[in-house]
Amino acid sequence: MRRWLLALLFTMLIFGYLSRSIALFPVNAEPLPEETRKLLEKSLSVVELDREIERISKLKGTTQTDIEKSERRIAEQEIAIAVQREKAGRVLRSYYMGYKDFWLSAVINAKSLPQLVRVWDTMDMIMQSDSKAMSGYAEEYRNLKQGYGKLRQDKEDLAAVETQLIAQRERILSLQKDLDQALAASGDEQLLKKLMEELQAYWKNVGLYEVKQHFRALAEAMQNLPDFVKKTPGIIQSNGLKTKLTLSDDQLNEFLRQEDNRFQDFAFTFENGLLTMEGDNGNIKVKIQGRYTVENEPENAIRFHVDSLIFNGLELPDTTRADLEREFDLGFYPQKLIKFVKAQSVSMENGELVVQLSIGG
């Protein structure tokens, strides 16, 4: 075991220093011993949890800034509404104290057309001023309600963010404790530490970038999928108000390889309710598995969710998958294909993606 690790570390160091674009482990190397693989996965999880904590901390700072802005805006709105309330109060008092009767009497008692016009113009000017005062009060009141609503939402968001932050900090402490215990019991603590440091450095500097590049390429390609579907006979089948989209994994592979050369080294398959992307380019070996779901908010879409992400034989944590989902949209939007249709269901079996569509939902 120790001899194997020394040889592996030596090879890794040579490759790491020669080129930052070469994978930490040769993609066709012998599989890692299970205990070593688990330790390396945990070390990657520590790095990714650190990154998630940093993201949440930034989000917390942004949310706190939003709360401060909302509080300042509400203070300004409260001053404005106090002014408008006083104006509106004067208007209402004038009506209840009989000024409208005074103007009605003035109109009735006008002795000439010019006098009537002057009275009418004066009344119109006052009524416009009254209307403006009442409208101003209503508008400021709406603004104040919106300000309170925004502040309440910001505070709820901050509470949720703080809960996430506490949970991730507790998680990383527990994971680091497990890692330290496993290292102490390994008999090769210093060697494994060095191995993990090199892996973490490689992931930060090269691995994460490569994975994101593949997700970015997929997201960009998915924007053109509706055009490919329209041009390919047999994918869309209609029967009255019912429409079915059937896309084979062969067709998906053909489409993606036309879109980006990097997908020449990867294969996509639909099986057992999952989309699996797997392959290597000599530097990295990636396996991504996920599922599509029909969602209606904020719009009808078939969204992709990453269930598993394995990089060079090491599984990455859920925080990495969630981060990639946030950053890259791999979804499919039926209304970009046919207007006024909605996806009703989606399934993946026997090498096919099948989407049931209906017109008008």
Side-chain angles (χ1 to χ4, degrees):
M1 169 74 174
R2 185 178 179 82
R3 183 178 299 171
W4 184 91
L5 284 171
L6 283 169
L8 177 60
L9 179 58
F10 179 72
T11 303
M12 176 203 67
L13 289 172
I14 291 175
F15 276 96
Y17 289 117
L18 284 176
S19 171
R20 291 166 70 88
S21 66
I22 294 176
L24 178 64
F25 301 110
V27 294
N28 297 315
E30 290 293 322
L32 291 170
E34 183 65 14
E35 290 182 5
T36 305
R37 187 186 63 78
K38 286 182 178 179
L39 281 173
L40 294 177
E41 282 184 349
K42 286 182 178 180
S43 73
L44 270 188
S45 293
V46 167
V47 172
E48 286 299 277
L49 285 174
D50 266 333
R51 194 165 65 89
E52 176 69 0
I53 287 170
E54 181 181 0
R55 183 191 71 82
I56 296 174
S57 296
K58 288 179 181 177
L59 184 58
K60 179 181 177 181
T62 301
T63 306
Q64 286 175 328
T65 301
D66 288 344
I67 287 174
E68 291 169 4
K69 288 180 180 178
S70 292
E71 288 174 338
R72 286 196 296 270
R73 190 160 49 246
I74 284 174
E76 293 168 358
Q77 289 169 345
E78 285 176 339
I79 294 171
I81 201 171
V83 173
Q84 294 296 340
R85 186 185 295 115
E86 176 59 28
K87 290 181 180 178
R90 286 200 299 269
V91 171
L92 292 174
R93 284 194 297 273
S94 71
Y95 277 91
Y96 281 106
M97 292 176 68
Y99 286 113
K100 62 179 182 179
D101 295 336
F102 167 79
W103 288 112
L104 181 61
S105 175
V107 169
I108 293 173
N109 295 320
K111 299 186 182 300
S112 65
L113 182 60
Q115 185 179 3
L116 178 63
V117 170
R118 283 196 299 274
V119 171
W120 184 263
D121 286 344
T122 304
M123 283 180 59
D124 184 57
M125 182 179 66
I126 292 173
M127 290 177 67
Q128 285 187 28
S129 176
D130 290 348
S131 176
K132 186 176 180 181
M134 296 299 289
S135 296
Y137 175 72
E139 179 65 22
E140 292 299 337
Y141 182 72
R142 281 194 297 271
N143 290 339
L144 187 62
K145 284 187 68 177
Q146 289 174 356
Y148 281 130
K150 177 69 166 58
L151 181 61
R152 183 172 59 253
Q153 185 61 55
D154 286 344
K155 288 184 175 180
E156 289 174 0
D157 290 344
L158 181 60
V161 167
E162 287 177 335
T163 299
Q164 290 179 46
L165 194 56
I166 292 169
Q168 296 299 349
R169 282 175 174 163
E170 289 176 350
R171 185 178 173 187
I172 199 171
L173 287 173
S174 175
L175 185 59
Q176 188 64 60
K177 182 180 177 181
D178 290 346
L179 198 54
D180 292 341
Q181 289 174 347
L183 282 171
S186 68
D188 290 299
E189 184 173 357
Q190 294 306 314
L191 183 61
L192 285 169
K193 277 186 177 180
K194 186 64 177 176
L195 193 61
M196 287 188 293
E197 287 170 4
E198 292 294 330
L199 171 62
Q200 290 173 346
Y202 175 77
W203 171 251
K204 289 178 182 178
N205 295 321
V206 180
L208 181 59
Y209 171 81
E210 289 288 343
V211 169
K212 284 194 172 187
Q213 285 296 94
H214 280 77
F215 269 83
R216 182 173 288 108
L218 275 171
E220 290 173 356
M222 290 303 292
Q223 294 179 20
N224 299 324
L225 184 59
D227 290 335
F228 175 81
V229 169
K230 289 177 185 177
K231 291 187 297 185
T232 306
I235 293 182
I236 296 291
Q237 297 176 340
S238 296
N239 181 13
L241 296 179
K242 299 285 185 180
T243 301
K244 183 171 74 170
L245 182 155
T246 305
L247 179 70
S248 72
D249 47 27
D250 287 339
Q251 289 169 326
L252 179 62
N253 282 294
E254 176 191 349
F255 162 71
L256 290 172
R257 288 165 187 167
Q258 289 174 357
E259 290 291 311
D260 197 303
N261 285 333
R262 78 189 70 205
F263 295 126
Q264 297 292 338
D265 300 314
F266 290 83
F268 294 77
T269 57
F270 298 121
E271 200 68 46
N272 300 322
L274 295 172
L275 167 61
T276 300
M277 176 187 114
E278 188 169 13
D280 69 72
N281 60 12
N283 292 328
I284 67 167
K285 185 176 182 178
V286 175
K287 181 178 181 180
I288 302 166
Q289 280 192 318
R291 60 203 151 75
Y292 282 106
T293 60
V294 175
E295 298 179 18
N296 291 308
E297 296 296 335
E299 61 183 308
N300 182 251
I302 303 165
R303 300 197 187 280
F304 185 71
H305 303 279
V306 184
D307 292 334
S308 174
L309 173 57
I310 299 173
F311 170 78
N312 283 7
L314 303 174
E315 185 162 7
L316 290 157
D318 58 325
T319 54
T320 308
R321 302 197 305 267
D323 188 44
L324 291 168
E325 281 189 32
R326 277 190 298 269
E327 187 169 354
F328 304 108
D329 183 4
L330 304 185
F332 179 73
Y333 298 86
Q335 291 191 1
K336 290 183 178 179
L337 180 65
I338 306 172
K339 286 186 177 181
F340 311 116
V341 302
K342 292 183 70 174
Q344 299 295 324
S345 67
V346 58
S347 62
M348 288 170 283
E349 297 292 340
N350 303 318
E352 290 182 337
L353 168 74
V354 178
V355 181
Q356 298 291 344
L357 304 165
S358 64
I359 296 177

